[in-house]
Amino acid sequence: EADIYQTPRYLVIGTGKKITLECSQTMGHDKMYWYQQDPGMELHLIHYSYGVNSTEKGDLSSESTVSRIRTEHFPLTLESARPSHTSQYLCASSDPGSGDTEAFFGQGTRLTVV
Amino acid sequence: GNSVTQMEGPVTLSEEAFLTINCTYTATGYPSLFWYVQYPGEGLQLLLKATKADDKGSNKGFEATYRKETTSFHLEKGSVQVSDSAVYFCALRETGNTPLVFGKGTRLSVIA
């Protein structure tokens, strides 16, 4: 059972609001990732981190920002939400140093901007 | 760059039918290969993996063999159940320090 948690599970918010999606893991993993999943199911990497104070942009350009101040926490922030940000956001973590190559996923946050 | 191409869905099967979802990959090195499953309203769960050529990953009746010569990692199950209805993603990781690269997903519906 993976110990990675995302909150909230569902969020409906008005245009222009600032929001933060939370992601926490208790496995001590250095590497964490944010994926955006469009309605057609496809997954797009939008941010990743290799450790504290490390953040990188992914393959899909995103107006969101991330921070990694603590190993276990990797929040994603939208300063001004827009309807185009409506999507499912999935957080994941991995620890290849342990010999495992897979990533563990949270349950996702489904964001709707109205 | 690295990429994964998987069979487009949706796939609809009757219960107890045989399942194959094709997956091929492009990579510059020797990646690890994965199948993830996403049930409705949930995140992704690892279904099985293989880390080197000719390895066979298996779990819950699903199997996939890492075929380097055909750069493939096809998912198979001999007898599907209604509870197998989900979206299946093939993925690769080139090294431990790179993010997973996913295929576009294949939606499977199994009807009783």
Side-chain angles (χ1 to χ4, degrees):
Chain A
E1 192 78 20
D3 295 316
I4 179 164
Y5 307 101
Q6 291 186 241
T7 57
R9 289 290 309 277
Y10 304 93
L11 179 62
V12 180
I13 200 161
T15 297
K17 299 291 187 184
K18 177 180 178 179
I19 57 169
T20 297
L21 308 185
E22 303 288 350
C23 176
S24 296
Q25 49 94 6
T26 58
M27 298 174 281
H29 288 173
D30 283 333
K31 294 173 177 52
M32 296 188 73
Y33 314 88
W34 277 104
Y35 290 87
Q36 184 173 341
Q37 185 171 30
D38 62 30
M41 306 177 306
E42 192 169 353
L43 294 159
H44 302 283
L45 179 69
I46 52 174
H47 298 284
Y48 60 100
S49 167
Y50 286 158
V52 171
N53 294 326
S54 150
T55 61
E56 303 286 344
K57 290 191 179 295
D59 304 321
L60 180 69
S61 176
S62 174
E63 292 165 351
S64 59
T65 59
V66 292
S67 62
R68 190 87 184 276
I69 299 171
R70 303 198 318 263
T71 297
E72 62 271 23
H73 197 212
F74 191 40
L76 181 145
T77 298
L78 278 165
E79 290 292 334
S80 178
R82 296 210 303 265
S84 60
H85 296 139
T86 294
S87 192
Q88 164 114 306
Y89 293 84
L90 293 168
C91 181
S93 71
S94 67
D95 181 23
S98 68
D100 291 329
T101 52
E102 68 263 36
F104 299 88
F105 282 79
Q107 290 193 300
T109 294
R110 184 166 297 282
L111 172 66
T112 302
V113 184
V114 298
Chain B
N2 298 336
S3 66
V4 174
T5 301
Q6 67 180 97
M7 176 175 154
E8 293 203 14
V11 174
T12 302
L13 294 173
S14 297
E15 207 165 22
E16 299 183 3
F18 184 85
L19 169 72
T20 300
I21 300 178
N22 291 337
C23 172
T24 56
Y25 68 90
T26 302
T28 52
Y30 302 97
S32 295
L33 301 173
F34 308 87
W35 277 101
Y36 280 83
V37 58
Q38 185 178 31
Y39 297 104
E42 300 293 324
L44 274 67
Q45 301 174 24
L46 179 68
L47 182 59
L48 53 84
K49 68 177 182 181
T51 57
K52 60 183 187 296
D54 300 325
D55 267 2
K56 177 186 281 189
S58 61
N59 185 26
K60 299 181 182 178
F62 291 89
E63 292 183 340
T65 300
Y66 189 141
R67 300 282 188 204
K68 182 168 173 288
E69 63 276 13
T70 54
T71 61
S72 65
F73 193 55
H74 305 321
L75 182 68
E76 295 182 338
K77 186 175 186 182
S79 175
V80 294
Q81 305 300 312
V82 172
S83 57
D84 293 326
S85 297
V87 180
Y88 292 82
F89 291 92
C90 186
L92 70 80
R93 167 170 276 164
E94 183 84 56
T95 70
N97 289 324
T98 55
L100 286 166
V101 175
F102 285 93
K104 293 186 177 182
T106 302
R107 185 179 300 279
L108 170 67
S109 296
V110 181
I111 53 176

